[in-house]
Amino acid sequence: MRLPRLHPAAWPAWLLLSAAAQAHSPYLKPNTFSAEPERKHVTVEASFAEGGLRPDVAMKSESFHLIGPDGRRQPLTPAAVLKDASYLEVPLLAEGTYLVSSGVRKGRVAKAVLRQGQVHFTEGRDETQPGDLPIEVQSLTRADVYLSRGRPSAVDYSTEGLEIYPVTPPQDIYAGETVTVRVRENRQPLAGQTLTVIPDGQQYAAHKPAEQHYSSDAAGQVRFTPASAGLYLLQVRVRQPAPGNPSLWLSHTATLTLEVLPQP
């Protein structure tokens, strides 16, 4: 199902949090992942896409930010906000690796019920069953990407919230080689979470590869091997009750855009 071109804040809450929202994923895509030493900025596209990384609905956030090689956090303001995408001009003042993030974006609150430990959305529909516990669900989304200027540097920055952390250095990922990432929240590993790997650029492929799903191990880690070079979007969703408020659940979605290089 294709959604109308509205900003996600205007979509019905049940739709944002249902299977349809799974198709529209937040992403950040730079015009280069590895800038030459003399290049002092990178342009990053911020949008929601259905399937591949083709802009469909502009991403808006008050928390766009950059963390540089020195670990300092710097807010970012879009240079342009169009209907389909926002564009960030990211300054690269020193050599090394940078984290660009949308920050945590709050969505709408949806009506739902807790049924046998699982969240079922009910807003706009009458599907309640005996034993259902009424709850509300707050949508929270975050998109990340790592990029470098010149020689890459370590990337274990001080971050908060749900994220997909690249254990394999993000500028050293090659087709046919194992990639390791860690699902973590407030820098603590999350086990048993489903990570979805979505290959980009498949709209013209005769045989489109299916999305791959993996479960994080006890250390929060997922290992996968990309078959071909290109861009990949990694996504994880974690739903849990809000601290101190069992009637409110938080639905966190985090994505990470990776560039997989061809074998040299």
Side-chain angles (χ1 to χ4, degrees):
M1 181 181 71
R2 187 172 182 81
L3 298 174
R5 291 197 170 194
L6 298 174
H7 184 264
W11 294 348
W14 68 266
L15 190 58
L16 278 170
L17 295 164
S18 67
Q22 181 75 17
H24 271 80
S25 301
Y27 74 86
L28 298 178
K29 183 174 71 174
N31 59 346
T32 180
F33 287 78
S34 299
E36 297 298 326
E38 60 272 14
R39 186 181 180 94
K40 297 184 178 180
H41 85 279
V42 166
T43 299
V44 176
E45 179 180 273
S47 185
F48 287 80
E50 185 175 5
L53 304 183
R54 305 178 71 183
D56 194 33
V57 180
M59 181 189 299
K60 298 178 181 179
S61 175
E62 297 180 355
S63 302
F64 283 123
H65 66 273
L66 168 73
I67 300 179
D70 59 1
R72 294 183 181 180
R73 175 170 169 158
Q74 175 183 342
L76 295 172
T77 301
V81 179
L82 309 180
K83 292 180 180 179
D84 294 339
S86 299
Y87 292 91
L88 305 166
E89 287 192 343
V90 178
L92 308 179
L93 302 183
E95 289 196 25
T97 302
Y98 295 75
L99 168 61
V100 181
S101 178
S102 68
V104 177
R105 305 172 59 261
K106 285 188 176 182
R108 296 178 62 183
V109 176
K111 299 291 184 181
V113 296
L114 195 62
R115 181 182 302 153
Q116 298 180 349
Q118 299 295 319
V119 174
H120 294 266
F121 295 96
T122 59
E123 188 166 310
R125 297 168 292 177
D126 186 12
E127 298 180 355
T128 58
Q129 298 179 8
D132 285 351
L133 177 65
I135 61 171
E136 293 184 321
V137 181
Q138 171 77 65
S139 171
L140 302 166
T141 63
R142 169 182 175 172
D144 291 342
V145 68
Y146 290 85
L147 50 90
S148 293
R149 174 188 166 197
R151 185 174 182 176
S153 56
V155 298
D156 194 12
Y157 303 124
S158 178
T159 53
E160 297 178 352
L162 178 68
E163 67 176 325
I164 303 169
Y165 169 71
V167 178
T168 301
Q171 272 67 45
D172 193 30
I173 296 177
Y174 292 87
E177 297 184 5
T178 300
V179 179
T180 303
V181 299
R182 181 177 295 122
V183 178
R184 65 185 193 181
E185 184 176 27
N186 298 327
R187 298 175 58 83
Q188 299 301 310
L190 293 181
Q193 302 301 322
T194 299
L195 180 83
T196 302
V197 178
I198 306 169
D200 183 39
Q202 303 301 315
Q203 61 266 30
Y204 301 116
H207 302 285
K208 298 181 180 180
E211 297 178 359
Q212 300 295 315
H213 304 278
Y214 304 87
S215 182
S216 59
D217 63 18
Q221 294 192 162
V222 170
R223 296 173 180 84
F224 66 96
T225 303
S228 59
L231 301 187
Y232 289 77
L233 185 70
L234 279 54
Q235 178 170 288
V236 65
R237 174 171 292 145
V238 175
R239 289 175 178 152
Q240 56 195 7
N245 186 359
S247 64
L248 175 65
W249 277 57
L250 305 178
S251 180
H252 297 267
T253 300
T255 68
L256 175 66
T257 309
L258 291 179
E259 180 183 47
V260 175
L261 301 171
Q263 286 290 334

